[in-house]
Structure formats: C-alpha cells, structure tokens
Amino acid sequence: PLHPDAPDSWLDKKPENFFFDTDVYLNLLGFGFAIKDFGYFHLNVSEHLMVDAGFSSLLFQINNLSSGCVGPYSVGLNALAYTDFAVGYSHKINSQWTVGGKLKVLVGQANINADFDELNLTTSPDELHVQGKGNVYAAAPLYWENLPNNLNAFDNFEFNSLLHKDFKQYLKPAGMGVAFDLGMTYKPIKNLQITASVTDLGFIRWHKYAKTKIDVDTTF
C-alpha cells in the first residue's frame, strides 16, 4: 500500500486502526522424570517475548504527498521480555483423572510502553512536518536519561550512548516475579478426554522504571 503506484481504492476499505501482535515462546531447557506410584516431575527454562503495536490507518496516506493530509494519528507500542524458571508436577489419580501444576520464577529483562497522545503529520510535495507529544515508560538495562526528548536531537544521536559499558549490567534483572499454572484432564469414556487449565497467573514487579517525554516538532 505504500508504493506510489498503489491504487487508492484500498483506502476506502481500510479499518480505522491497524494492530500488530506477536507472542514468542522459546523453550531453552527442559527435562523430566517419573517416580513410580508418586507422579511426574519436570523442570524447564523458557524465554518469552511479547510485542503489540497499534497505529492509525491514516499513516498509509503519507505516500500521497500531494494530498496535504493532516492527523491526528494514534501510535502506541508495548513490549515485554522475561525468562521463567519452572518446576512442575503432575499426578495420575486414577484411570480417569490427572492433575498437575507448575511454579515459575520470572526474571524480567525489559518492559517498554510508548504512546503519543497527539501526533500530527502535514504533508506536501516538498516536505513533511511532524508535530506531537508522547511518553516512553521503560524498565530495561539502558541509560534512558541519555535518550533525546526531541526528534531534532536524533540528527547526531549515537545509540551507543544508551548502552552500559559494563556487560554485567545486562545480567541484572529489571524485575522479578512469580507465576503458576494449574491443569487437569478427565477421561469419562474411551476416546474422549476433557482438559482445563489456568496458565501464567502471576506478576512481575519492575524496579528500574524510567520515564522519558518525547516532544516532536520538526520538518523533513
């Protein structure tokens, strides 16, 4: 849709907002063992990454620079990354019922929330003017105080200024928490199994939050 030759007719069918969501689960290590007449134990370590973003479909009109389209546009981003260390147990009560649970210690790496309360784009064949205000809330091993609060400052900005020189800083968690899973299976008759579960019920307490205001007023 951003190609200059793309037909404008698709814009009439677009939704008001677009959303992008991804949830990545990566099992890093896992093993289990059974104890006769007692049950089955398992241990595992996994990494979780969740990202969701939302933005106004009006942004797709930016390629038509002669339109002079103006906002306001809505833009938002949430990102969460953490590792869980889990110990689980399941037990077969009888030929019909099996129950199990898992206790997890959560080690948070990053939790970032960004949003623009107001974002306006004014376009013409020769230039693009961006004006808006927003906030970034972040718990992550970065020097957020070095993040520019004005888009003009990014002209000579170096991302390295946000990085720690000491690698050990990246091994320190930005938050800690706990969670648990509960589940059961029931086989009332042969070839029929009913299952139910509650997963990832818990919390992470973030302790390295920083807030940065973004104030944009620039022309490209």
Side-chain angles (χ1 to χ4, degrees):
L2 294 179
H3 193 279
D5 296 331
D8 293 333
S9 58
W10 80 275
L11 291 172
D12 298 330
K13 304 175 183 179
K14 71 183 185 311
E16 182 178 352
N17 295 292
F18 284 91
F19 297 95
F20 169 81
D21 297 277
T22 182
D23 190 347
V24 178
Y25 175 89
L26 178 62
N27 192 33
L28 304 176
L29 174 68
F31 63 92
F33 54 91
I35 298 178
K36 188 177 180 180
D37 299 328
F38 191 73
Y40 179 80
F41 291 88
H42 64 276
L43 303 142
N44 70 280
V45 181
S46 57
E47 181 70 19
H48 300 256
L49 174 64
M50 288 167 279
V51 179
D52 64 88
F55 53 92
S56 171
S57 59
L58 292 173
L59 285 170
F60 280 112
Q61 299 181 24
I62 198 172
N63 64 308
N64 188 5
L65 293 180
S66 62
S67 67
C69 59
V70 180
Y73 304 98
S74 57
V75 179
L77 170 70
N78 298 297
L80 172 66
Y82 67 92
T83 305
D84 75 52
F85 299 84
V87 178
Y89 169 72
S90 63
H91 179 68
K92 187 174 183 178
I93 299 175
N94 52 42
S95 60
Q96 291 183 308
W97 290 92
T98 300
V99 295
K102 185 187 293 184
L103 176 64
K104 298 182 280 190
V105 175
L106 310 180
V107 180
Q109 284 100 35
N111 186 20
I112 300 174
N113 301 278
D115 66 87
F116 274 89
D117 299 325
E118 53 182 82
L119 181 63
N120 294 280
L121 306 180
T122 306
T123 65
S124 73
D126 301 315
E127 64 182 26
L128 169 66
H129 182 74
V130 183
Q131 186 275 326
K133 294 181 180 180
N135 296 290
V136 177
Y137 300 89
L142 294 174
Y143 290 129
W144 289 99
E145 60 268 22
N146 292 341
L147 185 67
N149 63 0
N150 190 295
L151 193 61
N152 296 306
F154 278 96
D155 291 343
N156 300 310
F157 176 72
E158 294 185 5
F159 182 76
N160 288 338
S161 66
L162 296 180
L163 302 179
H164 286 282
K165 306 304 180 184
D166 185 359
F167 180 76
K168 290 185 295 184
Q169 294 293 329
Y170 294 99
L171 301 179
K172 295 180 179 180
M176 297 291 296
V178 294
F180 65 88
D181 302 342
L182 294 174
M184 54 79 65
T185 64
Y186 174 58
K187 295 186 67 174
I189 58 175
K190 187 178 180 179
N191 299 324
L192 175 63
Q193 179 173 285
I194 301 171
T195 66
S197 64
V198 176
T199 62
D200 291 325
L201 186 60
F203 68 93
I204 297 177
R205 180 178 178 87
W206 301 94
H207 53 77
K208 288 187 176 180
Y209 258 108
K211 177 181 178 180
T212 298
K213 288 185 175 293
I214 304 294
D215 192 350
V216 179
D217 190 353
T218 190
T219 298
F220 297 95

